[in-house]
Amino acid sequence: GFQVDFYPTSVEGKKAVFEIIEALRYFDRHATEYDLLVMIRGGGSLESLQAFNNEALVRAVATLRIPTLLGVGHEKDVTLAALAADSMVSTPTATARTLHEPWEEARQTLRHFEQQLPVLFERELSAVKHTLAFKGEALLVRLEQFLEQAVLLKQTLAEKLQLLQALVERKMAEVVQAKHTLEQGFLAALGRTKKELVHAEDLLRQYDPKRVLKLGYSLVRDSRGIVKDVSGLKVGDILGIQLSKGRLSARVETIIE
């Protein structure tokens, strides 16, 4: 069930540290392609395992973006690289067993469900049958009650419709009278509104900013809006000036309060 890529390196001697670090750099560059990085070698003397105690190698293991599993040496051998790894085991054989454990657990789980699923299915099916039978009887009772309520509602609705018809006829007469009254009131209000509009139009002409601008005045704005006094202004601010014809920008050179 595994797809394995190998990167062979020396595991002792002068070249070992450099070759192992180069291998780690390779896998780190391709971190998204792998789920786990495994480093293994058989046992040996303390001197033969010194490559895995090298500071540069230990730092490379600690900063890897891939989870690491180290199985270096025998049970008595504990290297600094193993301590820096995400997980360590005592031997290459123990590494194989560690990798195999999830598959074995999965197989055991499948065997368990293979035995239990038919039993669970029969149990759930029996419960559903019982529920359907109980709910079916309750549904029939509710349907009978619903039919009785429907007959009563039909009688009540017929009575209400008769009352509603009489009410509608009375309201229609009131609507006709209200329509006449509304038309008269609307015509009177329309006349008053016309007079008010003429007066408002005169006022708008008098207070039109463009009229003021034509007299030689101008509107000055900064980033906050219309400038009414020099408070809040500072030298260097850019002002927008609206004239009767056109606009222009100006920079504040001097402020006189």
Side-chain angles (χ1 to χ4, degrees):
F2 293 104
Q3 179 178 340
V4 182
D5 288 348
F6 291 98
Y7 199 114
T9 69
S10 301
V11 292
E12 60 181 90
K14 295 181 179 181
K15 297 181 180 180
V17 173
F18 302 101
E19 292 182 0
I20 296 173
I21 290 177
E22 181 58 33
L24 295 179
R25 289 172 178 170
Y26 169 82
F27 286 113
D28 198 53
R29 289 195 301 270
H30 301 81
T32 58
E33 302 174 17
Y34 298 98
D35 299 314
L36 180 67
L37 175 66
V38 179
M39 296 173 61
I40 57 175
R41 68 149 285 169
S45 64
L46 177 62
E47 291 74 13
S48 65
L49 298 177
Q50 286 307 305
F52 295 92
N53 289 322
N54 180 271
E55 179 181 354
L57 177 57
V58 173
R59 290 183 181 275
V61 171
T63 57
L64 271 176
R65 292 180 295 163
I66 311 174
T68 53
L69 171 63
L70 262 69
V72 176
H74 295 309
E75 294 184 2
K76 63 182 179 64
D77 300 321
V78 178
T79 63
L80 294 178
L83 295 174
D86 295 288
S87 181
M88 68 175 180
V89 292
S90 58
T91 64
T93 303
T95 302
R97 285 198 299 268
T98 300
L99 294 175
H100 179 69
E101 285 175 1
W103 295 99
E104 184 60 31
E105 291 176 2
R107 280 192 288 269
Q108 293 177 1
T109 302
L110 287 175
R111 284 195 293 269
H112 171 75
F113 281 114
E114 185 179 9
Q115 298 171 358
Q116 292 297 317
L117 279 177
V119 177
L120 294 174
F121 181 77
E122 289 292 339
R123 186 184 304 166
E124 291 297 325
L125 183 61
S126 176
V128 171
K129 288 181 178 178
H130 175 74
T131 301
L132 287 176
F134 175 76
K135 296 295 184 181
E137 295 177 359
L139 181 60
L140 290 176
V141 173
R142 292 295 297 168
L143 285 175
E144 292 177 357
Q145 296 174 351
F146 176 75
L147 290 175
E148 294 176 357
Q149 294 175 358
V151 172
L152 179 61
L153 180 61
K154 181 179 179 182
Q155 296 174 354
T156 304
L157 182 60
E159 297 173 357
K160 295 295 184 182
L161 285 175
Q162 292 177 357
L163 295 175
L164 181 62
Q165 183 178 2
L167 178 63
V168 169
E169 291 175 354
R170 186 168 65 253
K171 292 299 181 182
M172 287 297 295
E174 294 176 359
V175 167
V176 172
Q177 179 61 37
K179 178 183 177 183
H180 176 71
T181 302
L182 182 63
E183 288 176 348
Q184 296 300 319
F186 177 76
L187 292 175
L190 183 61
R192 291 193 301 271
T193 302
K194 287 182 178 179
K195 293 179 180 179
E196 292 174 356
L197 287 175
V198 171
H199 177 66
E201 185 178 4
D202 292 338
L203 290 177
L204 287 174
R205 289 196 188 96
Q206 294 177 18
Y207 294 105
D208 185 1
K210 293 182 179 179
R211 178 175 174 271
V212 177
L213 293 177
K214 290 179 180 179
L215 297 177
Y217 295 94
S218 61
L219 291 176
V220 180
R221 294 182 176 88
D222 62 6
S223 59
R224 296 170 297 175
I226 294 178
V227 178
K228 297 180 179 180
D229 55 54
V230 297
S231 62
L233 294 178
K234 58 182 181 297
V235 174
D237 284 352
I238 301 299
L239 303 178
I241 301 176
Q242 181 178 348
L243 306 174
S244 176
K245 290 184 179 180
R247 301 169 183 268
L248 56 88
S249 295
R251 183 187 303 274
V252 176
E253 298 291 344
T254 305
I255 297 178
I256 302 173
E257 299 186 1

